[in-house]
Amino acid sequence: MTADELDAHCNPIHPIPVIAAGLQALVDAEYKRQMGLITAKYPEEERSSWYIQTAQAQAVISGSAAATPWLDACAQTRGMPREELAQRIIALDAQFQGMHGFLTGVRQWHEEAIGAIVAAAQSDEAQARAELAGYDVMQGWSNDQTEPAPAL
């Protein structure tokens, strides 16, 4: 085996879609990690009731006569007025939606940026390979950023 053949065997040139898929997998893993940091303190059983909690909290806040058995039982057990619990649930839901929207936006931004590099490979494969090789999948995830950094 020649030195060039050995190098090609040890360092294969992967197709651009394979490289892009690997980057997207890293982005998706970071998205899941970030979401896990937000939801980790809540057991799955509680998270599965979030839609019930928010619906019943909205009913209480709007003055609806609809039954709110989950919210009523929880408020009574915690020793607080149901209106107070409803306000807390709505505030937490808004906070979660904002964080979830931010993180989903970052994930989708990466997906689009990686896709644009792949599309550009049709006209300049070497440039696309260089951009993919230097692509920073950690860009934009910081909670203190209001938007992802501009595309490469």
Side-chain angles (χ1 to χ4, degrees), residues 42-128:
Y42 302 100
E44 174 57 34
E45 296 78 10
E46 185 172 347
R47 288 193 314 263
S48 68
S49 74
W50 282 358
Y51 76 97
I52 295 169
Q53 294 181 41
T54 55
Q56 291 186 16
Q58 287 289 356
V60 167
I61 289 170
S62 70
S64 169
T68 56
W70 187 97
L71 193 134
D72 295 344
C74 187
Q76 182 178 11
T77 301
R78 293 177 66 180
M80 69 173 58
R82 62 197 291 267
E83 294 77 15
E84 179 182 345
L85 181 56
Q87 290 291 342
R88 287 185 185 189
I89 290 169
I90 295 303
L92 286 171
D93 182 56
Q95 184 180 32
F96 175 78
Q97 286 184 41
M99 290 185 288
H100 189 213
F102 172 79
L103 294 173
T104 300
V106 172
R107 192 200 71 72
Q108 291 173 353
W109 173 79
H110 277 289
E111 182 176 58
E112 291 169 2
I114 293 167
I117 296 169
V118 170
Q122 293 178 359
S123 60
D124 191 346
E125 183 176 338
Q127 178 64 31

